[in-house]
Each structure stands twice: as structure tokens, then as C-alpha cells.
PDB file of all heavy atoms in Angstrom:
ATOM      1  N   GLN L   3      57.111 -19.798 -32.925  1.00 97.00           N
ATOM      2  CA  GLN L   3      56.447 -18.503 -32.625  1.00 97.00           C
ATOM      3  C   GLN L   3      56.560 -18.192 -31.124  1.00 97.00           C
ATOM      4  O   GLN L   3      55.595 -18.263 -30.393  1.00 97.00           O
ATOM      5  CB  GLN L   3      54.962 -18.571 -33.024  1.00 97.00           C
ATOM      6  CG  GLN L   3      54.748 -18.843 -34.498  1.00 97.00           C
ATOM      7  CD  GLN L   3      53.260 -18.995 -34.848  1.00 97.00           C
ATOM      8  OE1 GLN L   3      52.382 -18.656 -34.076  1.00 97.00           O
ATOM      9  NE2 GLN L   3      52.977 -19.540 -36.021  1.00 97.00           N
ATOM     10  N   PRO L   4      57.743 -17.859 -30.669  1.00 97.00           N
ATOM     11  CA  PRO L   4      57.943 -17.666 -29.245  1.00 97.00           C
ATOM     12  C   PRO L   4      57.222 -16.460 -28.681  1.00 97.00           C
ATOM     13  O   PRO L   4      57.180 -16.294 -27.443  1.00 97.00           O
ATOM     14  CB  PRO L   4      59.466 -17.486 -29.119  1.00 97.00           C
ATOM     15  CG  PRO L   4      59.881 -16.999 -30.481  1.00 97.00           C
ATOM     16  CD  PRO L   4      58.978 -17.670 -31.442  1.00 97.00           C
ATOM     17  N   ASN L   5      56.614 -15.639 -29.523  1.00 98.00           N
ATOM     18  CA  ASN L   5      55.914 -14.447 -29.016  1.00 98.00           C
ATOM     19  C   ASN L   5      54.389 -14.578 -29.065  1.00 98.00           C
ATOM     20  O   ASN L   5      53.674 -13.599 -28.906  1.00 98.00           O
ATOM     21  CB  ASN L   5      56.346 -13.201 -29.811  1.00 98.00           C
ATOM     22  CG  ASN L   5      57.800 -12.846 -29.516  1.00 98.00           C
ATOM     23  OD1 ASN L   5      58.246 -12.865 -28.382  1.00 98.00           O
ATOM     24  ND2 ASN L   5      58.532 -12.557 -30.604  1.00 98.00           N
ATOM     25  N   HIS L   6      53.908 -15.794 -29.310  1.00 98.00           N
ATOM     26  CA  HIS L   6      52.462 -16.042 -29.360  1.00 98.00           C
ATOM     27  C   HIS L   6      52.072 -17.143 -28.391  1.00 98.00           C
ATOM     28  O   HIS L   6      52.766 -18.142 -28.238  1.00 98.00           O
ATOM     29  CB  HIS L   6      52.012 -16.437 -30.772  1.00 98.00           C
ATOM     30  CG  HIS L   6      52.223 -15.379 -31.800  1.00 98.00           C
ATOM     31  ND1 HIS L   6      53.405 -15.229 -32.496  1.00 98.00           N
ATOM     32  CD2 HIS L   6      51.385 -14.428 -32.282  1.00 98.00           C
ATOM     33  CE1 HIS L   6      53.304 -14.239 -33.347  1.00 98.00           C
ATOM     34  NE2 HIS L   6      52.089 -13.705 -33.234  1.00 98.00           N
ATOM     35  N   ILE L   7      50.924 -16.961 -27.738  1.00 98.00           N
ATOM     36  CA  ILE L   7      50.353 -17.987 -26.857  1.00 98.00           C
ATOM     37  C   ILE L   7      49.163 -18.604 -27.525  1.00 98.00           C
ATOM     38  O   ILE L   7      48.273 -17.912 -27.984  1.00 98.00           O
ATOM     39  CB  ILE L   7      49.935 -17.380 -25.498  1.00 98.00           C
ATOM     40  CG1 ILE L   7      51.099 -16.727 -24.764  1.00 98.00           C
ATOM     41  CG2 ILE L   7      49.298 -18.472 -24.607  1.00 98.00           C
ATOM     42  CD1 ILE L   7      50.717 -15.941 -23.542  1.00 98.00           C
ATOM     43  N   TYR L   8      49.139 -19.938 -27.627  1.00 98.00           N
ATOM     44  CA  TYR L   8      47.996 -20.690 -28.080  1.00 98.00           C
ATOM     45  C   TYR L   8      47.271 -21.240 -26.835  1.00 98.00           C
ATOM     46  O   TYR L   8      47.949 -21.711 -25.903  1.00 98.00           O
ATOM     47  CB  TYR L   8      48.391 -21.851 -28.971  1.00 98.00           C
ATOM     48  CG  TYR L   8      48.902 -21.495 -30.335  1.00 98.00           C
ATOM     49  CD1 TYR L   8      50.198 -20.989 -30.505  1.00 98.00           C
ATOM     50  CD2 TYR L   8      48.088 -21.629 -31.442  1.00 98.00           C
ATOM     51  CE1 TYR L   8      50.659 -20.641 -31.773  1.00 98.00           C
ATOM     52  CE2 TYR L   8      48.568 -21.310 -32.736  1.00 98.00           C
ATOM     53  CZ  TYR L   8      49.851 -20.792 -32.880  1.00 98.00           C
ATOM     54  OH  TYR L   8      50.321 -20.480 -34.124  1.00 98.00           O
ATOM     55  N   PHE L   9      45.949 -21.224 -26.853  1.00 98.00           N
ATOM     56  CA  PHE L   9      45.219 -21.793 -25.700  1.00 98.00           C
ATOM     57  C   PHE L   9      43.858 -22.280 -26.157  1.00 98.00           C
ATOM     58  O   PHE L   9      43.352 -21.909 -27.228  1.00 98.00           O
ATOM     59  CB  PHE L   9      45.114 -20.821 -24.536  1.00 98.00           C
ATOM     60  CG  PHE L   9      44.397 -19.532 -24.824  1.00 98.00           C
ATOM     61  CD1 PHE L   9      43.100 -19.317 -24.347  1.00 98.00           C
ATOM     62  CD2 PHE L   9      45.030 -18.500 -25.482  1.00 98.00           C
ATOM     63  CE1 PHE L   9      42.452 -18.126 -24.609  1.00 98.00           C
ATOM     64  CE2 PHE L   9      44.390 -17.288 -25.731  1.00 98.00           C
ATOM     65  CZ  PHE L   9      43.079 -17.110 -25.299  1.00 98.00           C
ATOM     66  N   THR L  10      43.204 -23.078 -25.314  1.00 98.00           N
ATOM     67  CA  THR L  10      41.911 -23.678 -25.656  1.00 98.00           C
ATOM     68  C   THR L  10      40.818 -23.152 -24.728  1.00 98.00           C
ATOM     69  O   THR L  10      41.055 -22.934 -23.532  1.00 98.00           O
ATOM     70  CB  THR L  10      41.976 -25.220 -25.536  1.00 98.00           C
ATOM     71  OG1 THR L  10      42.281 -25.581 -24.192  1.00 98.00           O
ATOM     72  CG2 THR L  10      42.994 -25.799 -26.473  1.00 98.00           C
ATOM     73  N   ILE L  11      39.641 -22.987 -25.314  1.00 97.00           N
ATOM     74  CA  ILE L  11      38.410 -22.838 -24.533  1.00 97.00           C
ATOM     75  C   ILE L  11      37.391 -23.796 -25.134  1.00 97.00           C
ATOM     76  O   ILE L  11      37.222 -23.848 -26.349  1.00 97.00           O
ATOM     77  CB  ILE L  11      37.860 -21.394 -24.542  1.00 97.00           C
ATOM     78  CG1 ILE L  11      38.891 -20.420 -23.942  1.00 97.00           C
ATOM     79  CG2 ILE L  11      36.555 -21.319 -23.755  1.00 97.00           C
ATOM     80  CD1 ILE L  11      38.379 -18.978 -23.912  1.00 97.00           C
ATOM     81  N   GLY L  12      36.749 -24.579 -24.291  1.00 96.00           N
ATOM     82  CA  GLY L  12      35.725 -25.513 -24.796  1.00 96.00           C
ATOM     83  C   GLY L  12      34.424 -24.831 -25.126  1.00 96.00           C
ATOM     84  O   GLY L  12      34.299 -23.600 -25.029  1.00 96.00           O
ATOM     85  N   ASP L  13      33.444 -25.646 -25.511  1.00 96.00           N
ATOM     86  CA  ASP L  13      32.147 -25.061 -25.935  1.00 96.00           C
ATOM     87  C   ASP L  13      31.213 -24.773 -24.795  1.00 96.00           C
ATOM     88  O   ASP L  13      30.020 -24.493 -24.999  1.00 96.00           O
ATOM     89  CB  ASP L  13      31.476 -25.993 -26.969  1.00 96.00           C
ATOM     90  CG  ASP L  13      30.964 -27.292 -26.374  1.00 96.00           C
ATOM     91  OD1 ASP L  13      31.249 -27.563 -25.143  1.00 96.00           O
ATOM     92  OD2 ASP L  13      30.308 -28.059 -27.091  1.00 96.00           O
ATOM     93  N   LEU L  14      31.720 -24.863 -23.555  1.00 94.00           N
ATOM     94  CA  LEU L  14      30.980 -24.612 -22.309  1.00 94.00           C
ATOM     95  C   LEU L  14      29.818 -25.594 -22.137  1.00 94.00           C
ATOM     96  O   LEU L  14      28.894 -25.362 -21.373  1.00 94.00           O
ATOM     97  CB  LEU L  14      30.436 -23.163 -22.269  1.00 94.00           C
ATOM     98  CG  LEU L  14      31.442 -22.032 -22.493  1.00 94.00           C
ATOM     99  CD1 LEU L  14      30.800 -20.688 -22.244  1.00 94.00           C
ATOM    100  CD2 LEU L  14      32.686 -22.237 -21.650  1.00 94.00           C
ATOM    101  N   ALA L  15      29.865 -26.716 -22.887  1.00 94.00           N
ATOM    102  CA  ALA L  15      28.813 -27.753 -22.828  1.00 94.00           C
ATOM    103  C   ALA L  15      27.468 -27.175 -23.139  1.00 94.00           C
ATOM    104  O   ALA L  15      26.441 -27.674 -22.646  1.00 94.00           O
ATOM    105  CB  ALA L  15      28.810 -28.421 -21.436  1.00 94.00           C
ATOM    106  N   TYR L  16      27.406 -26.226 -24.035  1.00 93.00           N
ATOM    107  CA  TYR L  16      26.166 -25.521 -24.364  1.00 93.00           C
ATOM    108  C   TYR L  16      25.561 -26.150 -25.628  1.00 93.00           C
ATOM    109  O   TYR L  16      26.186 -26.169 -26.695  1.00 93.00           O
ATOM    110  CB  TYR L  16      26.420 -24.055 -24.582  1.00 93.00           C
ATOM    111  CG  TYR L  16      25.183 -23.229 -24.913  1.00 93.00           C
ATOM    112  CD1 TYR L  16      24.256 -22.953 -23.932  1.00 93.00           C
ATOM    113  CD2 TYR L  16      24.980 -22.768 -26.227  1.00 93.00           C
ATOM    114  CE1 TYR L  16      23.125 -22.177 -24.233  1.00 93.00           C
ATOM    115  CE2 TYR L  16      23.844 -22.025 -26.524  1.00 93.00           C
ATOM    116  CZ  TYR L  16      22.946 -21.732 -25.513  1.00 93.00           C
ATOM    117  OH  TYR L  16      21.802 -21.008 -25.818  1.00 93.00           O
ATOM    118  N   GLN L  17      24.311 -26.639 -25.518  1.00 93.00           N
ATOM    119  CA  GLN L  17      23.551 -27.145 -26.675  1.00 93.00           C
ATOM    120  C   GLN L  17      24.386 -28.141 -27.527  1.00 93.00           C
ATOM    121  O   GLN L  17      24.518 -27.995 -28.732  1.00 93.00           O
ATOM    122  CB  GLN L  17      23.054 -25.980 -27.541  1.00 93.00           C
ATOM    123  CG  GLN L  17      22.087 -25.077 -26.874  1.00 93.00           C
ATOM    124  CD  GLN L  17      20.706 -25.694 -26.712  1.00 93.00           C
ATOM    125  OE1 GLN L  17      20.364 -26.675 -27.359  1.00 93.00           O
ATOM    126  NE2 GLN L  17      19.866 -25.083 -25.884  1.00 93.00           N
ATOM    127  N   GLN L  18      24.875 -29.185 -26.837  1.00 93.00           N
ATOM    128  CA  GLN L  18      25.790 -30.113 -27.519  1.00 93.00           C
ATOM    129  C   GLN L  18      25.122 -30.941 -28.617  1.00 93.00           C
ATOM    130  O   GLN L  18      25.804 -31.417 -29.528  1.00 93.00           O
ATOM    131  CB  GLN L  18      26.394 -31.045 -26.492  1.00 93.00           C
ATOM    132  CG  GLN L  18      27.312 -30.327 -25.495  1.00 93.00           C
ATOM    133  CD  GLN L  18      28.046 -31.316 -24.629  1.00 93.00           C
ATOM    134  OE1 GLN L  18      29.055 -31.894 -25.076  1.00 93.00           O
ATOM    135  NE2 GLN L  18      27.571 -31.542 -23.434  1.00 93.00           N
ATOM    136  N   SER L  19      23.826 -31.088 -28.546  1.00 88.00           N
ATOM    137  CA  SER L  19      23.131 -31.904 -29.556  1.00 88.00           C
ATOM    138  C   SER L  19      22.452 -31.021 -30.615  1.00 88.00           C
ATOM    139  O   SER L  19      21.710 -31.513 -31.457  1.00 88.00           O
ATOM    140  CB  SER L  19      22.112 -32.800 -28.894  1.00 88.00           C
ATOM    141  OG  SER L  19      22.709 -33.716 -28.017  1.00 88.00           O
ATOM    142  N   ASN L  20      22.741 -29.729 -30.552  1.00 93.00           N
ATOM    143  CA  ASN L  20      22.088 -28.815 -31.498  1.00 93.00           C
ATOM    144  C   ASN L  20      23.140 -27.967 -32.188  1.00 93.00           C
ATOM    145  O   ASN L  20      23.583 -26.947 -31.666  1.00 93.00           O
ATOM    146  CB  ASN L  20      21.122 -27.904 -30.722  1.00 93.00           C
ATOM    147  CG  ASN L  20      20.245 -27.079 -31.665  1.00 93.00           C
ATOM    148  OD1 ASN L  20      20.624 -26.749 -32.771  1.00 93.00           O
ATOM    149  ND2 ASN L  20      19.047 -26.765 -31.196  1.00 93.00           N
ATOM    150  N   PRO L  21      23.572 -28.401 -33.392  1.00 93.00           N
ATOM    151  CA  PRO L  21      24.602 -27.674 -34.120  1.00 93.00           C
ATOM    152  C   PRO L  21      24.227 -26.213 -34.429  1.00 93.00           C
ATOM    153  O   PRO L  21      25.101 -25.353 -34.580  1.00 93.00           O
ATOM    154  CB  PRO L  21      24.778 -28.463 -35.431  1.00 93.00           C
ATOM    155  CG  PRO L  21      24.276 -29.810 -35.068  1.00 93.00           C
ATOM    156  CD  PRO L  21      23.183 -29.630 -34.098  1.00 93.00           C
ATOM    157  N   THR L  22      22.948 -25.925 -34.503  1.00 94.00           N
ATOM    158  CA  THR L  22      22.521 -24.562 -34.794  1.00 94.00           C
ATOM    159  C   THR L  22      22.818 -23.618 -33.644  1.00 94.00           C
ATOM    160  O   THR L  22      23.220 -22.449 -33.841  1.00 94.00           O
ATOM    161  CB  THR L  22      21.012 -24.533 -35.125  1.00 94.00           C
ATOM    162  OG1 THR L  22      20.757 -25.382 -36.213  1.00 94.00           O
ATOM    163  CG2 THR L  22      20.571 -23.122 -35.478  1.00 94.00           C
ATOM    164  N   LEU L  23      22.668 -24.112 -32.415  1.00 95.00           N
ATOM    165  CA  LEU L  23      22.832 -23.279 -31.237  1.00 95.00           C
ATOM    166  C   LEU L  23      24.214 -23.409 -30.598  1.00 95.00           C
ATOM    167  O   LEU L  23      24.622 -22.497 -29.856  1.00 95.00           O
ATOM    168  CB  LEU L  23      21.738 -23.579 -30.206  1.00 95.00           C
ATOM    169  CG  LEU L  23      20.304 -23.309 -30.679  1.00 95.00           C
ATOM    170  CD1 LEU L  23      19.329 -23.699 -29.573  1.00 95.00           C
ATOM    171  CD2 LEU L  23      20.123 -21.835 -31.060  1.00 95.00           C
ATOM    172  N   ASN L  24      24.883 -24.535 -30.777  1.00 96.00           N
ATOM    173  CA  ASN L  24      26.186 -24.726 -30.137  1.00 96.00           C
ATOM    174  C   ASN L  24      27.180 -23.645 -30.589  1.00 96.00           C
ATOM    175  O   ASN L  24      27.180 -23.162 -31.718  1.00 96.00           O
ATOM    176  CB  ASN L  24      26.727 -26.117 -30.512  1.00 96.00           C
ATOM    177  CG  ASN L  24      28.010 -26.434 -29.791  1.00 96.00           C
ATOM    178  OD1 ASN L  24      29.100 -26.208 -30.294  1.00 96.00           O
ATOM    179  ND2 ASN L  24      27.888 -27.004 -28.595  1.00 96.00           N
ATOM    180  N   TYR L  25      28.057 -23.250 -29.639  1.00 96.00           N
ATOM    181  CA  TYR L  25      29.008 -22.172 -29.887  1.00 96.00           C
ATOM    182  C   TYR L  25      30.125 -22.512 -30.846  1.00 96.00           C
ATOM    183  O   TYR L  25      30.688 -21.653 -31.530  1.00 96.00           O
ATOM    184  CB  TYR L  25      29.669 -21.755 -28.577  1.00 96.00           C
ATOM    185  CG  TYR L  25      28.769 -21.122 -27.535  1.00 96.00           C
ATOM    186  CD1 TYR L  25      28.804 -21.526 -26.208  1.00 96.00           C
ATOM    187  CD2 TYR L  25      27.898 -20.074 -27.902  1.00 96.00           C
ATOM    188  CE1 TYR L  25      28.002 -20.921 -25.244  1.00 96.00           C
ATOM    189  CE2 TYR L  25      27.089 -19.474 -26.936  1.00 96.00           C
ATOM    190  CZ  TYR L  25      27.132 -19.900 -25.604  1.00 96.00           C
ATOM    191  OH  TYR L  25      26.336 -19.317 -24.667  1.00 96.00           O
ATOM    192  N   ALA L  26      30.513 -23.793 -30.916  1.00 97.00           N
ATOM    193  CA  ALA L  26      31.800 -24.170 -31.511  1.00 97.00           C
ATOM    194  C   ALA L  26      31.934 -23.837 -32.969  1.00 97.00           C
ATOM    195  O   ALA L  26      33.042 -23.569 -33.456  1.00 97.00           O
ATOM    196  CB  ALA L  26      32.054 -25.681 -31.272  1.00 97.00           C
ATOM    197  N   ASN L  27      30.821 -23.891 -33.747  1.00 97.00           N
ATOM    198  CA  ASN L  27      30.941 -23.718 -35.197  1.00 97.00           C
ATOM    199  C   ASN L  27      30.716 -22.272 -35.656  1.00 97.00           C
ATOM    200  O   ASN L  27      30.544 -22.033 -36.854  1.00 97.00           O
ATOM    201  CB  ASN L  27      29.987 -24.663 -35.930  1.00 97.00           C
ATOM    202  CG  ASN L  27      28.521 -24.428 -35.532  1.00 97.00           C
ATOM    203  OD1 ASN L  27      28.197 -23.490 -34.839  1.00 97.00           O
ATOM    204  ND2 ASN L  27      27.650 -25.333 -35.967  1.00 97.00           N
ATOM    205  N   LYS L  28      30.716 -21.339 -34.720  1.00 97.00           N
ATOM    206  CA  LYS L  28      30.459 -19.941 -35.053  1.00 97.00           C
ATOM    207  C   LYS L  28      31.735 -19.102 -34.864  1.00 97.00           C
ATOM    208  O   LYS L  28      32.417 -19.272 -33.865  1.00 97.00           O
ATOM    209  CB  LYS L  28      29.310 -19.385 -34.188  1.00 97.00           C
ATOM    210  CG  LYS L  28      28.009 -20.112 -34.439  1.00 97.00           C
ATOM    211  CD  LYS L  28      26.933 -19.644 -33.451  1.00 97.00           C
ATOM    212  CE  LYS L  28      25.626 -20.353 -33.745  1.00 97.00           C
ATOM    213  NZ  LYS L  28      25.741 -21.817 -33.613  1.00 97.00           N
TER     214      LYS L  28
END
């Protein structure tokens, strides 16, 4: 896919012990 860029952004270390509030699963 030479016309697409893949990249990462982390969860900003926000509410890591709280799955309800953490950003990653939304």
C-alpha cells in the first residue's frame, strides 16, 4: 500500500488501571 501511511499514537498514559476510562478500547 504505497499510498497509505500507518502510524501509532499511545494511550497518553491516561487511566491505565481503569479500562472504563482508558482511551485505548474506545
Side-chain angles (χ1 to χ4, degrees):
Q3 300 175 15
N5 293 316
H6 297 87
I7 300 171
Y8 289 77
F9 61 103
T10 61
I11 299 181
D13 70 353
L14 308 187
Y16 181 74
Q17 295 287 344
Q18 296 188 78
S19 298
N20 190 330
T22 302
L23 298 178
N24 186 266
Y25 293 134
N27 59 9
K28 298 173 178 60

